[in-house]
Amino acid sequence: MAFVITSPCQGEKAGECVDVCPVDCIEEGKDQYYIDPDICIDCGACVVVCPVDAIVDEHELAPKDEVYLKKAEEFFQNG
């Protein structure tokens, strides 16, 4: 299980999530931040500080937001 950064981050890229992540699993992409699902420890620290409520538990993703989990997986595979 991991957290996923969704559409509210696009263009916003506030970055508070990066500063609080204890395992450094969040990286900046071209249009948004991404959480590495293989490193995330599900602590939820990023969720609390996100000013745009863009971070969601992967098991609670709305069907329309599942694309963001795939984007994160691709980002870290190609990174």
Side-chain angles (χ1 to χ4, degrees), residues 2 4 12 22-23 33-35 37 42-43 58-59 64 66 68:
V4 179
E12 175 65 31
V23 293
Y33 284 95
Y34 295 98
I35 297 174
D42 310 314
C43 69
E58 76 173 287
H59 295 292
K64 68 177 179 63
E66 289 177 4
Y68 294 100

Side-chain angles (χ1 to χ4, degrees), residues 12-55:
E12 175 65 31
K13 293 182 10 176
E16 285 92 335
C17 55
V18 176
D19 296 332
V20 299
C21 181
V23 293
D24 296 324
C25 71
I26 303 172
E27 293 185 23
E28 185 174 1
K30 182 178 179 180
D31 61 344
Q32 71 177 75
Y33 284 95
Y34 295 98
I35 297 174
D36 188 331
D38 293 330
I39 299 175
C40 179
I41 60 170
D42 310 314
C43 69
C46 58
V47 176
V48 177
V49 299
C50 182
V52 293
D53 297 322
I55 305 173

